[in-house]
């Protein structure tokens, strides 16, 4: 079977989350001694550990077949690289930030001012679309320090919690784009490797569905099963199992995590008792 080559970030949070989703897919990767290349022991997969900013070019050149990368990097450098799956982790945003003392009312306040960023294409496109001309300063590394040392009047950078901005006396004033980790594919992937990718994607989808779902079991009076069933946003229909206690049944189903508390409140009002909530490891369709 053809070995699929995947690029992931060589260090940092995205690296850890990428290896975790592969592990959750049942794929074992031994990256001992911080190797830059490692092979899975139980799946036809070879992992290349690269700098995040270099990954789009590796995809465009066909050096790797797929990659787990932030979609903000693809927007900045990736051209028309195809995204086949949003992975739901390493969420952040690319934002405009200014010193806290800056009286910001609109983007027009930044006209002709110096903007420091490591995302020049994203930044220029954003200000061009808003008809605001700025003086761009492309830098790498700690962009947040630029206003404090007099290099720039404002910055464009990735923001997660906002704590780094706060520590550098900056405030977020505009969000250019929201980003998360995605599975991207090279335009040169072969049909043989596409077969392997389909198998990997099937596993990833099973893991992602499980991450956003909960399995619930509850005791319900038989006369209230229909009412409870109508509340449950189930895949097909809930499982109903009679209990030893006459007139009662166990009702079992799957609910989305983002609907969890709203559904639980309605189930209790409808007569459900002893509600047990369990995590789901995989959901395979």
């Amino acid at each position: 079977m053809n070995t699929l080559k995947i690029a992931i970030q060589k260090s940092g949070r995205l690296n850890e989350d990428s290896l975790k989703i592969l592990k959750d897919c049942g794929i074992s990767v031994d990256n001992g001694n911080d190797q830059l290349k490692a092979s899975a022991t139980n799946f036809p997969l070879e992992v290349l550990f690269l700098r995040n900013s270099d990954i789009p070019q590796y995809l465009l050149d066909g050096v790797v077949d797929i990659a787990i990368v932030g979609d903000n990097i693809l927007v900045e450098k990736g051209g028309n690289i195809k995204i086949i799956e949003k992975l739901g982790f390493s969420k952040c945003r690319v934002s405009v930030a200014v010193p806290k003392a800056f009286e910001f009312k609109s983007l027009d306040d930044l006209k002709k001012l110096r903007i420091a960023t490591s995302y020049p294409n994203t930044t220029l496109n954003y200000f061009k679309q808003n008809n605001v001309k700025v003086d761009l300063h492309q830098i790498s590394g700690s962009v947040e320090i630029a206003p404090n040392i007099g290099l720039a009047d404002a910055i464009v950078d990735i923001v997660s919690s906002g704590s780094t901005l706060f520590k550098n006396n900056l405030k977020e004033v505009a969000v250019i784009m929201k980003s998360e980790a995605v599975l991207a594919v090279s335009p040169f992937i072969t049909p043989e490797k596409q077969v392997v990718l389909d198998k990997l994607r099937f596993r990833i989808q099973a893991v992602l569905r499980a991450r956003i779902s909960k399995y619930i079991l509850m005791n319900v009076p038989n006369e209230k099963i229909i009412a409870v069933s109508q509340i449950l946003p189930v895949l097909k229909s809930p499982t109903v199992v009679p209990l030893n206690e006459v007139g009662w049944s166990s009702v079992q189903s799957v609910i989305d995590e983002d609907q969890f508390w709203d559904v639980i409140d309605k189930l209790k009002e409808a007569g459900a008792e002893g509600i047990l909530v369990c995590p789901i490891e995989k959901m395979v369709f």
Side-chain angles (χ1 to χ4, degrees), residues 2-44:
N2 286 274
T3 298
L4 194 68
K5 292 184 178 181
I6 181 173
I8 68 173
Q9 184 175 303
K10 67 179 181 179
S11 61
R13 180 66 182 274
L14 187 53
N15 167 275
E16 297 170 4
D17 289 339
S18 299
L19 289 174
K20 185 178 188 307
I21 197 169
L22 291 179
K23 181 179 179 180
D24 290 346
C25 288
I27 298 172
S28 178
V29 178
D30 182 10
N31 185 34
N33 300 320
D34 294 326
Q35 302 175 77
L36 296 181
K37 184 171 70 171
S39 296
T41 58
N42 57 352
F43 192 84

Side-chain angles (χ1 to χ4, degrees), residues 7 50-86 182-189 197:
L50 307 172
R51 286 200 315 172
N52 206 34
S53 59
D54 292 338
I55 290 177
Q57 195 60 52
Y58 277 72
L59 285 167
L60 289 171
D61 291 342
V63 176
V64 297
D65 305 302
I66 57 173
I68 296 177
V69 63
D71 59 351
N72 60 300
I73 297 295
L74 295 182
V75 169
E76 175 66 26
K77 296 187 174 184
N80 294 316
I81 292 174
K82 184 179 179 181
I83 294 172
I84 59 172
E85 203 74 52
K86 292 189 175 184
V182 297
L183 184 64
V185 61
S186 168
F188 299 106
I189 189 169
L197 174 56

